Amino acid sequence: MTDVIVRAFEATLQVRGGGDGRTLEGPLLPWGVEARVLDRGRLVVETFERGALHDVDPARVPLTATHPRDAGTLPIGVTLSIDERADAAWGSWRVSATTLGDEVLALARDGVPLGLSVGFIEVPGGSRWLSRDRVVRTRAQLDHVAVVRVGAYAGAEVVGVRGAGGGPAVGVPLATLAHRWR
């Protein structure tokens, strides 16, 4: 079995209209942002280059509440889209009506800071080592996306929960929303 590498990102909440209140969205993987991570047991500085997720099929990337420890870990939803923008790979995820999925949505609606964490598999030629402790990921096979409490990278975050009828899905004060939109 191929090793799945995991990386987490800190998150903040933005509430947006549209949808049914079960869709999370936000930047998943920021481009060029350095993070100190463990790679094969040693501490390295890692960045992802724009285009690293270019060939990812969103339909094959489950959303999980924790990183799967084995094949028995069930997902809480599906990836609807992954779009490569100038700053990051942005995604949207449909959260299923399961106990754990409902818990994650309740936390997001309450404005609890949530992180996003990618689980990926290295692909041949997809890592460019600049030195013994610095690597740039140019391509990666995305295995899953997990919702976590604290992330390794700054800038990947749950920024929205789409609400039903075009209105906000949660009652977050407008001042909080304005601050987080900046």
Side-chain angles (χ1 to χ4, degrees):
M1 181 173 145
T2 307
D3 289 335
V4 175
I5 301 168
V6 297
R7 300 291 186 259
F9 310 92
E10 191 170 326
T12 58
L13 173 68
Q14 288 284 320
V15 179
R16 299 185 188 173
D20 64 359
R22 298 204 68 86
T23 303
L24 298 175
E25 55 188 18
L28 168 63
L29 189 58
W31 310 131
V33 174
E34 292 185 346
R36 296 182 76 75
V37 297
L38 280 177
D39 186 90
R40 294 177 191 86
R42 66 183 172 157
L43 196 59
V44 301
V45 175
E46 176 184 74
T47 60
F48 279 83
E49 192 173 272
R50 185 176 182 177
L53 303 180
H54 176 70
D55 294 329
V56 172
D57 177 4
R60 301 191 52 80
V61 181
L63 177 68
T64 61
T66 60
H67 285 293
R69 301 223 186 276
D70 57 39
T73 303
L74 291 175
I76 63 166
V78 298
T79 301
L80 300 174
S81 67
I82 297 177
D83 300 312
E84 292 204 354
R85 299 184 188 175
D87 61 338
W90 281 67
S92 63
W93 299 270
R94 168 89 178 151
V95 180
S96 299
T98 64
T99 301
L100 200 47
D102 290 345
E103 287 179 28
V104 168
L105 283 173
L107 293 169
R109 289 178 182 139
D110 286 347
V112 174
L114 297 174
L116 295 172
S117 184
V118 295
F120 68 95
I121 299 168
E122 289 184 294
V123 297
S127 297
R128 186 173 68 239
W129 286 90
L130 306 177
S131 67
R132 179 170 148 50
D133 64 348
R134 297 184 82 73
V135 63
V136 176
R137 306 292 184 187
T138 59
R139 286 185 309 154
Q141 179 184 335
L142 194 56
D143 180 75
H144 66 276
V145 174
V147 178
V148 297
R149 185 178 69 83
V150 177
Y153 282 82
E157 50 200 27
V158 175
V159 297
V161 178
R162 292 189 204 149
V170 300
V172 176
L174 291 178
T176 302
L177 290 177
H179 172 73
R180 290 180 178 166
W181 249 158
R182 288 187 269 161

